[in-house]
Amino acid sequence: MDQRVVDFIHALRAKGVRISLAESIDAMRCVEIAGVADKQFFRSALRASLVKEPRDLPTFDELFPRFFGLDAPPPLQQPGGGMSPEEREQLAQMLQQMLASLTPEQLRRLFEMMMTGKGMSGSQMRQFIDENTTATQMTTGFQPWATRRALRELQFDRLEQLLQELIEKLREAGVGEAALRQLEQEARENRAALAQQIGNEVGNGLQQREAEERRRRPAEDLQDRPFEELTYRDDDEMRAVINRLAAQLRTRVALRQKRASKGALDAKSTIRANLRYSGVPLDIRHRRKHLKPRITVICDVSGSMRAVTGFMLMLVYALQDQISRTRPFVYYRTIADVQADFQQLRPEDAIRVVPERVQGGPWQTSLGACLATFTRDYLDAVDRRTTVIFLGDGDDHLSPPNPRAFETIKRRAHRVVWFNPEPPYRWGREDNHMHIYAPMCDAVHHVSNLRQLVAAVDGLFS
């Protein structure tokens, strides 16, 4: 049971549920105390120890039955219950004759299980599937296809043909029709149970393989992978990496701010303070600095930019304790202030809904018009302490460049920084206006992967 619980925890982690080592140990203690006799109590104990977020409950409810048998296939039964002892002897002999010459081996074992009622445990069935099929090499999202592949590679459809051959031989040997009909029904029920068990174990195998791949995959690979190569399978893992990097970045920034907390020497104030000591500098005064930056981030949420925008906003909101104020905007064909979304929702939930706050479609990015709207309606989001971060590729499909509005923002801001995932050689081509905006920025960072994005964000606090 302990190994089953461990596999269950690995499957939950593979689905994105955050479970620490301490929580895993708590789950084991819960199993010891609660026992497994009362499955509902056992289920509640595991859920209380492993699930912290309401959003993870559906994942738990989906995986629990697969590992702990609430939807386990019915047990196999021994066919031939309606036969006389002589007929059962005939069944055993003819079955042995068929099995002796039946190939391939995996089909022989399936037919034997179906006709004798002697099945496999879950782990044995999973090993049987791994050895004889390629189904568990597929991805988790394709479990129905993987199950069909497993059944096809095991030649599961031939079981019905073999059953009919056996029944015909028994009929020729004089076995009664009533006993044959009962035998046929019991064998088919066994076949259905085997199909259900194979489907369950294919799903468990996919989950286990995905969890093992995640463990083997170095986090560094994910940090260096270009944003455009990330798939939906990487989202959960990227969130975990971002949280870890944000924690490291937060510690580094806090240490840097602590060391600089006194600020630079304020010569004038020091001289004034020490006039009473005849100018001897006994009381040193420092110039106070506003160490925590105010950030206004203006993000492109067109289709090609949504992934990097999501990661950027997650990273910024993970560093909230090191930022004096954050004001997020998103733009596409229109621009919108999405601060309310981040105040009402968790950042990962807000990121999913903010693209709906603006209008746009394929090839409808209108940066010039959005800059004009920003300077007209939202310029109060920028003051002399604010660092304005533009996150976008610089494309503008509908309007001409608007350097005048950009200059207005720059004059009010402490500094303007641009994060661009596109390579520099593409800047200025066709409808890309990056070559106009880049010289007006205090810094421009090429951020094509997570490592570069974290380095660029780290630069905001230096």
Side-chain angles (χ1 to χ4, degrees):
M1 178 54 72
D2 287 352
Q3 185 58 46
R4 198 69 171 166
V5 175
V6 170
D7 292 343
F8 179 57
I9 292 172
H10 287 164
L12 288 172
R13 285 172 173 163
K15 282 281 192 177
V17 180
R18 293 185 298 110
I19 300 174
S20 67
L21 177 61
E23 290 161 348
S24 301
I25 296 172
D26 289 344
M28 291 297 186
R29 289 174 178 165
C30 285
V31 172
E32 291 178 5
I33 297 171
V36 296
D38 185 340
K39 284 198 172 179
Q40 288 303 327
F41 188 54
F42 170 67
R43 177 194 184 111
S44 299
L46 272 186
R47 193 166 70 169
S49 58
L50 295 176
V51 179
K52 300 182 289 293
E53 305 285 346
R55 61 179 178 173
D56 294 330
L57 288 175
T59 303
F60 181 93
D61 293 339
E62 175 193 348
L63 294 180
F64 184 86
R66 295 186 190 173
F67 285 83
F68 302 107
L70 290 185
D71 66 347
L76 301 183
Q77 55 184 327
Q78 184 175 3
M83 291 180 166
S84 65
E86 293 76 14
E87 290 172 335
R88 280 200 290 271
E89 183 64 27
Q90 287 178 312
L91 170 61
Q93 291 177 359
M94 291 183 181
L95 180 60
Q96 286 300 322
Q97 292 173 4
M98 290 187 66
L99 292 174
S101 59
L102 185 59
T103 58
E105 173 62 18
Q106 63 268 27
L107 180 61
R108 190 195 70 78
R109 294 186 64 184
L110 284 174
F111 189 56
E112 182 180 15
M113 284 188 283
M114 185 177 79
M115 297 311 303
T116 62
K118 297 177 181 177
M120 295 180 179
S121 66
S123 59
Q124 290 172 332
M125 179 60 80
R126 197 183 310 171
Q127 182 179 359
F128 175 72
I129 293 170
D130 289 340
E131 292 174 350
N132 295 287
T133 76
T134 58
T136 53
Q137 302 302 313
M138 299 178 69
T139 56
T140 307
F142 298 93
Q143 182 181 344
W145 288 270
T147 300
R148 286 198 288 273
R149 175 185 286 188
L151 295 176
R152 185 175 62 252
E153 293 179 353
L154 292 172
Q155 302 186 30
F156 199 83
D157 290 344
R158 289 187 59 192
L159 291 178
E160 176 65 22
Q161 176 189 349
L162 294 170
L163 173 61
Q164 294 304 320
E165 290 178 9
L166 178 60
I167 289 177
E168 189 60 30
K169 289 180 180 179
L170 291 170
R171 184 177 288 114
E172 292 174 356
V175 177
E177 285 299 322
L180 290 178
R181 283 195 297 272
Q182 183 174 347
L183 173 67
E184 185 177 18
Q185 179 182 351
E186 292 168 344
R188 285 177 174 167
E189 289 174 356
N190 281 351
R191 189 186 64 167
L194 283 172
Q196 184 177 347
Q197 186 182 15
I198 290 171
N200 289 350
E201 293 307 326
V202 166
N204 293 338
L206 292 175
Q207 297 286 350
Q208 184 174 358
R209 175 173 169 269
E210 185 171 332
E212 290 173 354
E213 285 184 352
R214 286 174 183 271
R215 286 197 299 273
R216 286 198 299 266
R217 187 188 304 172
E220 288 73 16
D221 288 351
L222 208 57
Q223 293 182 46
D224 294 324
R225 189 177 304 173
F227 288 124
E228 63 269 20
E229 293 182 7
L230 296 174
T231 66
Y232 76 96
R233 294 177 58 195
D234 299 316
D235 284 356
D236 294 336
E237 196 168 353
M238 282 293 284
R239 277 196 288 272
V241 172
I242 287 174
N243 289 332
R244 189 172 70 252
L245 291 174
Q248 296 173 358
L249 193 56
R250 190 184 302 115
T251 302
R252 192 158 62 236
V253 170
L255 181 60
R256 192 182 301 158
Q257 291 180 348
K258 182 179 179 181
R259 289 172 177 170
S261 59
K262 290 185 177 179
L265 174 67
D266 188 339
K268 292 182 179 178
S269 179
T270 300
I271 292 173
R272 284 197 298 270
N274 289 279
L275 289 176
R276 52 183 169 170
Y277 304 125
S278 302
V280 178
L282 299 178
D283 185 5
I284 305 299
R285 299 295 177 89
H286 295 83
R287 188 179 295 114
R288 294 292 179 184
K289 297 175 63 177
H290 298 290
L291 298 174
K292 292 185 178 182
R294 293 177 179 174
I295 289 179
T296 292
V297 56
I298 304 174
C299 299
D300 182 354
V301 290
S302 60
S304 60
M305 288 295 303
R306 287 190 185 181
V308 62
T309 293
F311 296 139
M312 172 68 187
L313 290 174
M314 285 180 60
L315 194 56
V316 168
Y317 274 87
L319 296 169
Q320 278 301 286
D321 55 343
Q322 304 301 329
I323 298 173
S324 174
R325 186 193 67 189
T326 303
R327 188 87 178 267
F329 293 83
V330 296
Y331 74 89
Y332 200 169
R333 183 158 56 83
T334 59
I335 189 169
D337 181 354
V338 293
Q339 186 177 25
D341 291 310
F342 282 89
Q343 289 174 341
Q344 297 168 6
L345 302 172
R346 294 167 56 86
E348 52 268 33
D349 297 326
I351 288 166
R352 280 194 284 269
V353 302
V354 293
E356 302 172 3
R357 308 303 184 210
V358 293
Q359 301 172 11
W363 305 99
Q364 292 188 10
T365 303
S366 184
L367 175 58
C370 291
L371 286 173
T373 303
F374 184 88
T375 54
R376 186 190 66 211
D377 298 337
Y378 304 115
L379 208 53
D380 62 327
V382 182
D383 59 25
R384 63 181 181 82
R385 289 181 54 192
T386 305
T387 296
V388 179
I389 304 172
F390 282 86
L391 178 64
D393 54 15
D395 285 353
D396 195 333
H397 307 298
L398 299 180
S399 56
N402 195 344
R404 185 174 180 180
F406 197 90
E407 180 62 29
T408 301
I409 297 171
K410 177 175 170 55
R411 281 200 303 268
R412 288 179 62 93
H414 171 59
R415 57 177 174 164
V416 176
V417 182
W418 195 301
F419 294 172
N420 193 328
E422 291 288 341
Y425 72 83
R426 192 182 170 278
W427 299 354
R429 290 188 179 183
E430 299 177 349
D431 50 5
N432 186 284
H433 300 153
M434 196 62 205
H435 64 297
I436 297 175
Y437 296 121
M440 304 169 68
C441 297
D442 295 284
V444 178
H445 299 277
H446 176 219
V447 289
S448 63
N449 57 44
L450 187 57
R451 188 183 298 278
Q452 292 176 340
L453 180 62
V454 171
V457 172
D458 190 19
L460 298 175
F461 299 93
S462 60

